[in-house]
Amino acid sequence: ILKAMHSLHAKPDSSLMVGDSEADIKAATNAGIDSVLLLNDLVHLHDISPTYTIQQFDQLLPIVGVQ
């Protein structure tokens, strides 16, 4: 994540990681950026703390400021 952010000249306060696994959310946390967990049957919320949680991709639009 940090390498991609560096290549894109992205700042942590304007970056967001979307993932569907515990590893994705932990990677975002370790990179110091917000995270969005796309829920599935394999992930348990008591194991991780994403910034946002969604059940389908269209729920991502308001999070990124698209109405």
Side-chain angles (χ1 to χ4, degrees):
I1 293 172
L2 293 175
K3 191 173 187 176
M5 289 172 57
H6 178 75
S7 295
L8 296 168
H9 306 286
K11 301 200 182 301
D13 62 347
S14 62
S15 298
L16 184 69
M17 170 72 173
V18 180
D20 65 353
S21 72
E22 179 180 353
D24 294 334
I25 303 308
K26 285 183 176 182
T29 300
N30 290 339
I33 64 173
D34 286 345
S35 60
V36 178
L37 174 65
L38 177 61
L39 287 177
N40 62 54
D41 294 336
L42 303 176
V43 176
H44 302 286
L45 284 177
H46 60 83
D47 296 336
I48 53 178
S49 298
T51 310
Y52 305 96
T53 303
I54 61 174
Q55 294 178 339
Q56 52 195 33
F57 277 109
D58 63 343
Q59 294 173 311
L60 186 59
L61 297 175
I63 293 171
V64 298
V66 177
Q67 299 299 328

